[in-house]
């Protein structure tokens, strides 16, 4: 499918919106909408530094990492009751379904919610109530990736131990994530919890090569034996690492707008996305923190085409890569891949007829 002229812009956007999608790198804490923040604040009797969605959105115009972290933590501070997790996942998943996202692996950070009157299993139970409703209502399938934070290693072992329990895995936990600042907090600090989680059957899904160079990715690979790398874009500066990623088919979860908004890349056209794809890397596209970066997965695909030089076929490849490197069982992957390819063909026919009928 090709969209040649500039007047096809609207048609391209409709096409991308209609594509069935999968997302592997998206944080619950970065996906709490302004309306949801206001609702949570009201029901929990909290005072926010804004009183409308429009005022809240002004806070998303931050230009420092600290301001970004502050607004993220403001969202976390509104999650008080166990039911709040149900509300947030239901709202987040409803937005995903509206973009035709049919499969998502959602990361969340358990250590924000330790020492509460309820347990991590209670939180997971509430999130799973929303997950069940979303599956029935829209067919959206969700799995969970609890992560640990590089700069706060103290609870890492306890969180890994919890995530690796049979109860958590039966409740949809598929991997252990690792986020937070890389510089000064090497992956080697987390070898033990990741080894433990892997022995119990969880995959390792760390961020690396976002705010630090390729050495951080090498170390993460050696120490944690990851199944995918969150971001990983600094690999582009290291041909030997790019060759390794291609040879091992180790997937990267690229988050374009996140990299621009956090100053990791100066512009879309200088982003290494296309160079990584051209080199043969297995790339997926993701939003990271869609509310905080004011983006959607549909928009990320559009920007990848319009600003980074990807073709529509690259987007289809990116979507199928997300399914094939997801943590679903093989038979579930095959079923979804087949269904997505059929849908792609159907959309191509539909949009081709539309173009010819003009
Ligand atoms: Zn992330």
């Amino acid at each position: 499918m090709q969209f040649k002229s500039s007047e096809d812009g609207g048609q391209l956007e409709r096409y991308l919106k209609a594509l069935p999608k999968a997302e592997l790198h998206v944080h619950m804490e970065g996906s709490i909408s302004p309306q949801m923040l206001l609702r949570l604040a009201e029901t929990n009797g909290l005072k926010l530094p804004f009183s409308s969605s429009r005022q809240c959105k002004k806070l998303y115009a931050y230009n420092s990492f600290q301001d970004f972290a502050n607004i993220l933590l403001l969202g976390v501070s509104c999650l008080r009751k166990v039911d709040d997790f149900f509300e947030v996942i239901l709202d987040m998943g409803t937005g995903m379904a509206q973009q035709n996202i049919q499969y998502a692996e959602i990361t969340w950070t358990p250590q924000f919610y330790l020492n509460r009157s309820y347990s991590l299993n209670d939180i997971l139970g509430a999130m799973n109530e929303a997950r069940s409703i979303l599956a029935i209502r829209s067919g959206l399938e969700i799995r969970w990736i609890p992560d640990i934070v590089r700069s706060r290693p103290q609870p890492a072992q306890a969180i890994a131990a919890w995530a690796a329990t049979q109860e958590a895995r039966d409740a949809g936990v598929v991997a252990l994530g690792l986020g937070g600042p890389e510089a000064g907090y090497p992956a080697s600090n987390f070898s033990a919890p990741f080894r433990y989680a892997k022995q119990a059957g969880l995959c390792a899904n760390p961020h690396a090569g976002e705010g630090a160079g390729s050495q951080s990715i090498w170390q993460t690979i050696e120490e944690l034996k990851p199944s995918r790398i969150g971001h990983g874009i600094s690999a582009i500066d290291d041909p030997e690492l790019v060759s390794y990623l291609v040879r091992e088919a180790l997937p990267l979860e690229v988050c374009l707008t996140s990299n621009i908004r956090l100053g990791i890349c100066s512009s879309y056209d200088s982003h290494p996305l296309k160079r990584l794809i051209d080199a043969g890397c297995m790339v997926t596209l993701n939003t990271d923190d869609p509310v905080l970066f004011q983006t959607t997965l549909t928009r990320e695909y559009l920007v990848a085409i319009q600003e980074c030089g990807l073709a529509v076929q690259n987007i289809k490849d990116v979507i199928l890569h997300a399914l094939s490197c997801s943590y679903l069982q093989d038979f579930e992957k095959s079923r979804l891949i087949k269904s997505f390819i059929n849908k792609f063909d159907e959309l191509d026919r539909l949009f081709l007829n539309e173009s010819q009928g003009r």
Side-chain angles (χ1 to χ4, degrees), residues 319-339:
I319 295 171
L320 296 179
H321 285 160
L323 292 177
S324 60
C325 69
S326 72
Y327 299 133
L328 285 168
Q329 308 255 343
D330 284 345
F331 75 93
E332 295 170 308
K333 284 186 196 181
S334 305
R335 180 181 58 80
L336 272 178
I337 288 172
K338 207 167 149 201
S339 141

Side-chain angles (χ1 to χ4, degrees), residues 94-165:
T94 301
M96 287 178 148
Q98 282 165 357
Q99 301 176 65
N100 206 12
I101 296 177
Q102 297 188 5
Y103 179 72
E105 288 173 7
I106 298 177
T107 295
W108 59 289
T109 306
Q111 71 190 58
F112 288 141
Y113 319 111
L114 298 175
N115 308 316
R116 301 236 171 151
S117 59
Y118 44 85
S119 68
L120 294 178
N121 282 329
D122 293 336
I123 294 175
L124 199 54
M127 289 161 66
N128 273 334
E129 277 181 43
R131 176 185 169 210
S132 301
I133 292 172
L134 290 161
I136 293 164
R137 212 188 261 174
S138 61
L140 170 64
E141 277 287 329
I142 293 173
R143 299 292 184 273
W144 310 115
I145 305 180
D147 72 350
I148 50 187
V149 180
R150 284 179 187 255
S151 54
R152 294 188 194 168
Q154 197 272 332
Q157 187 64 43
I159 288 165
W162 168 77
T165 58

Side-chain angles (χ1 to χ4, degrees), residues 25-27 207 210 231 255 258 288-289:
H25 187 133
V26 58
H27 298 261
H207 290 55
E210 177 192 17
H231 297 283
C255 309
S258 164
D288 207 3
D289 299 291

Side-chain angles (χ1 to χ4, degrees), residues 20-232:
K21 302 174 185 69
E23 179 156 39
L24 304 180
H25 187 133
V26 58
H27 298 261
M28 176 187 72
E29 289 84 358
S31 307
I32 310 174
S33 67
Q35 298 87 331
M36 182 54 61
L37 281 180
L38 288 163
R39 177 133 58 102
L40 292 175
E42 192 183 334
T43 59
N44 291 324
L46 305 169
K47 186 136 182 62
L48 290 173
F50 52 85
S51 56
S52 70
S53 292
R54 192 195 293 198
Q55 282 175 357
C56 176
K57 283 180 185 168
K58 286 187 187 158
L59 298 178
Y60 301 144
Y62 45 76
N63 46 23
S64 75
F65 184 82
Q66 193 51 54
D67 287 347
F68 162 77
N70 289 343
I71 181 80
L72 184 124
L73 291 173
L74 182 71
V76 168
S77 73
C78 291
L79 286 162
R80 294 290 172 97
K81 307 183 300 299
V82 75
D83 280 354
D84 297 343
F85 294 86
F86 166 84
E87 297 286 348
V88 166
I89 294 298
L90 191 64
D91 186 53
M92 178 183 179
T94 301
M96 287 178 148
Q98 282 165 357
Q99 301 176 65
N100 206 12
I101 296 177
Q102 297 188 5
Y103 179 72
E105 288 173 7
I106 298 177
T107 295
W108 59 289
T109 306
Q111 71 190 58
F112 288 141
Y113 319 111
L114 298 175
N115 308 316
R116 301 236 171 151
S117 59
Y118 44 85
S119 68
L120 294 178
N121 282 329
D122 293 336
I123 294 175
L124 199 54
M127 289 161 66
N128 273 334
E129 277 181 43
R131 176 185 169 210
S132 301
I133 292 172
L134 290 161
I136 293 164
R137 212 188 261 174
S138 61
L140 170 64
E141 277 287 329
I142 293 173
R143 299 292 184 273
W144 310 115
I145 305 180
D147 72 350
I148 50 187
V149 180
R150 284 179 187 255
S151 54
R152 294 188 194 168
Q154 197 272 332
Q157 187 64 43
I159 288 165
W162 168 77
T165 58
Q166 190 66 44
E167 190 173 0
R169 289 187 298 129
D170 287 347
V173 170
V174 286
L176 183 64
L178 178 68
E182 291 168 74
Y185 303 101
S188 54
N189 290 352
F190 302 93
S191 304
F194 273 88
R195 198 164 45 241
Y196 183 90
K198 288 199 83 163
Q199 278 167 358
L202 288 182
C203 295
N205 203 93
H207 290 55
E210 177 192 17
S214 63
Q215 205 46 43
S216 174
I217 305 176
W218 278 122
Q219 199 195 45
T220 301
I221 291 170
E222 281 156 24
E223 297 287 340
L224 310 185
K225 314 277 185 290
S227 299
R228 300 194 306 251
I229 303 274
H231 297 283

